[in-house]
Amino acid sequence: MTMKKKYTVGILGATGLVGREMIKTLLERKFPVAKWVPLASARSAGTVVSVGKQHLPVQIAEPEAFKGIDFLFSSAGGNVSKALVPAAVEQGCIVIDNTSAFRMQDWVPLVVPEVNAEALRNHKGLIANPNCSTAQLVVVLKPLHDAFGIKRIVCSTYQAVSGAGNKAIEELYTQSEQVLSGQPALPQVLPYPIAFNVIPFIGDFEPNGYTNEEMKMTHEVAKIMGEAIPTTATCVRVPVANGHSESVNIEFSRPVSPQEARLVLQEAPLITIRDDRQLRHFPYPLDVSGTDSVYVGRIREDVSHPHGLNLWIVADNLRKGAALNAVQIAEKMVEMGLV
Ligand SMILES: NC(=O)c1ccc[n+]([C@@H]2O[C@H](COP(=O)([O-])OP(=O)(O)OC[C@H]3O[C@@H](n4cnc5c(N)ncnc54)[C@H](OP(=O)(O)O)[C@@H]3O)[C@@H](O)[C@H]2O)c1
């Protein structure tokens, strides 16, 4: 009789939004965990995180703490990953990193299992999870590209504040109260007031005028899709607590009708189509928050180009954009015998 192997699982950033979603997702999907190791900064050392019915003390994330960990899910920011992930890999952990620290390094697979699971085969102990807005986008691009050939992508994002962590959600609520009580909204985490506003940039500016968040989409789409499909993005922060939305214009190599696209998308993994004009039943971030699917709606012809289509894509950035994708990577590695 064969026993299913169980793994020691470390969560680096266990007190954060993504870390907590990671624990929830691993439990929901019954990932075979023998032992949990929650890790965070010295600020949280000794505090407790809930893992189902267990309440486990948080340990300080330092190289010695990685000993014996099989899978390390890392989401404590890019600088923490740069400082600590190499030590974890050296100690034999398989690290699935949610930050941007290593995504574009040639030796690191950048994986969305519905798109490029095969890239896991040559892993060297470190696998990168893409940026949240890239993950939901490529789930939709892949089946359309396979069926029709994509020539160019224009994407505008409407990104929730949860994408900037715990403190950004608190900031949205605090600022909303400030505005409603006639006080000025004071930004501390996000660069501008977000309550009753939108912020037309995310991250830092690059010399070409794009932000690094926007260029991540260009580079990561190319790496995951395995070819440099020209992609241009405008990334915008909106006063939504959770759930990233995207308005996407796709140019194909031939005319593609909305109905043809719908038929392909409804057969594709993880995608749910919500596109009922009569009932106004479309993907809304309020509805999709807390669910796994990538939702597609507003599928329509591009009246400005005979080969174009417009789509509206929404997903929970903490699920497919972070925790779910990371857990799927671990599951896939076990399934493919790569552990
Ligand atoms: N939110 C999203 O939708 C999303 C999606 C994909 C990727 N990501 C990436 O995931 C990372 C975390 O995001 P988040 O939303 O979970 O942020 P968050 O809610 O602010 O949580 C940050 C976590 O990192 C820990 N941390 C901070 N500094 C540390 C240090 N020096 N050593 C060890 N742990 C440290 C924090 O622990 P303490 O409690 O001790 O401070 C906390 O557990 C970011 O790199 C982000 O870009 C986020």
Side-chain angles (χ1 to χ4, degrees):
M1 197 174 80
T2 53
M3 279 266 284
K4 197 172 174 191
K5 186 171 167 18
K6 289 192 169 191
Y7 302 94
T8 297
V9 168
I11 309 286
L12 171 53
T15 53
L17 273 184
V18 175
R20 281 184 279 141
E21 196 68 33
M22 203 79 79
I23 293 170
K24 198 168 136 206
T25 308
L26 286 158
L27 288 169
E28 276 174 17
R29 295 174 71 90
K30 298 189 171 38
F31 190 79
V33 180
K35 185 182 168 201
W36 297 89
V37 185
L39 301 159
S41 78
R43 289 181 293 274
S44 307
T47 62
V48 159
V49 293
S50 301
V51 180
K53 287 187 181 135
Q54 303 177 66
H55 302 289
L56 302 175
V58 174
Q59 299 176 38
I60 298 179
E62 50 197 359
E64 303 80 74
F66 301 138
K67 220 166 271 168
I69 291 177
D70 299 307
F71 281 104
L72 179 70
F73 294 91
S74 159
S75 62
N79 289 336
V80 177
S81 282
K82 279 183 197 151
L84 290 175
V85 159
V89 174
E90 212 161 283
Q91 294 194 43
C93 306
I94 290 178
V95 181
I96 302 175
D97 186 36
N98 267 276
T99 77
S100 58
F102 301 99
R103 287 181 193 145
M104 294 316 297
Q105 301 217 356
D106 285 343
W107 64 277
V108 179
L110 177 64
V111 174
V112 172
E114 290 81 6
V115 180
N116 65 336
E118 281 304 307
L120 291 167
R121 289 211 187 274
N122 298 319
H123 83 86
K124 297 184 171 54
L126 172 57
I127 296 96
N129 212 44
N131 192 34
C132 33
S133 30
T134 305
Q136 67 187 65
L137 179 62
V138 293
V139 167
V140 178
L141 295 180
K142 170 72 174 161
L144 293 175
H145 186 54
D146 287 351
F148 312 117
I150 294 176
K151 278 183 73 179
R152 178 170 181 250
I153 299 145
V154 181
C155 179
S156 300
T157 71
Y158 304 67
Q159 294 181 222
V161 292
S162 64
N166 253 331
K167 293 203 170 98
I169 299 187
E170 285 166 26
E171 180 151 296
L172 172 62
Y173 296 146
T174 309
Q175 285 183 2
S176 301
E177 284 169 10
Q178 287 168 335
V179 173
L180 290 172
S181 59
Q183 293 161 28
L186 301 174
Q188 284 176 336
V189 181
L190 297 169
Y192 248 75
I194 186 65
F196 305 97
N197 200 11
V198 296
I199 304 175
F201 64 93
I202 297 176
D204 298 323
F205 282 91
E206 301 207 350
N208 64 3
Y210 285 77
T211 64
N212 53 0
E213 183 80 358
E214 290 160 349
M215 291 312 296
K216 277 181 206 169
M217 189 172 269
T218 296
H219 298 315
E220 292 179 20
V221 164
K223 183 164 177 180
I224 297 165
M225 296 289 286
E227 53 186 297
I229 304 172
T231 303
T232 178
T234 301
C235 293
V236 177
R237 187 75 70 194
V238 296
V240 166
N242 191 41
H244 286 357
S245 306
E246 296 174 339
S247 166
V248 184
N249 176 267
I250 305 177
E251 182 187 333
F252 294 97
S253 51
R254 66 161 175 88
V256 176
S257 72
Q259 184 54 13
E260 278 179 288
R262 219 171 261 126
L263 288 174
V264 166
L265 292 175
Q266 71 194 20
E267 297 301 320
L270 208 70
I271 292 177
T272 302
I273 297 182
R274 278 201 183 154
D275 205 12
D276 188 328
R277 288 174 207 166
Q278 221 119 48
L279 297 174
R280 307 290 193 262
H281 193 46
F282 301 119
Y284 298 94
L286 261 187
D287 299 339
V288 317
S289 177
T291 71
D292 285 348
S293 273
V294 174
Y295 296 83
V296 185
R298 304 289 327 272
I299 306 171
R300 64 201 190 280
E301 272 171 26
D302 173 355
V303 293
S304 75
H305 197 291
H307 295 187
L309 276 188
N310 292 312
L311 314 171
W312 176 248
I313 302 172
V314 186
D316 183 331
N317 46 294
L318 297 175
R319 303 284 293 194
K320 187 56 186 170
L324 172 65
N325 197 68
V327 174
Q328 285 179 303
I329 289 172
E331 290 171 347
K332 206 68 191 171
M333 293 181 79
V334 172
E335 184 190 311
M336 291 166 79
L338 301 174
V339 182

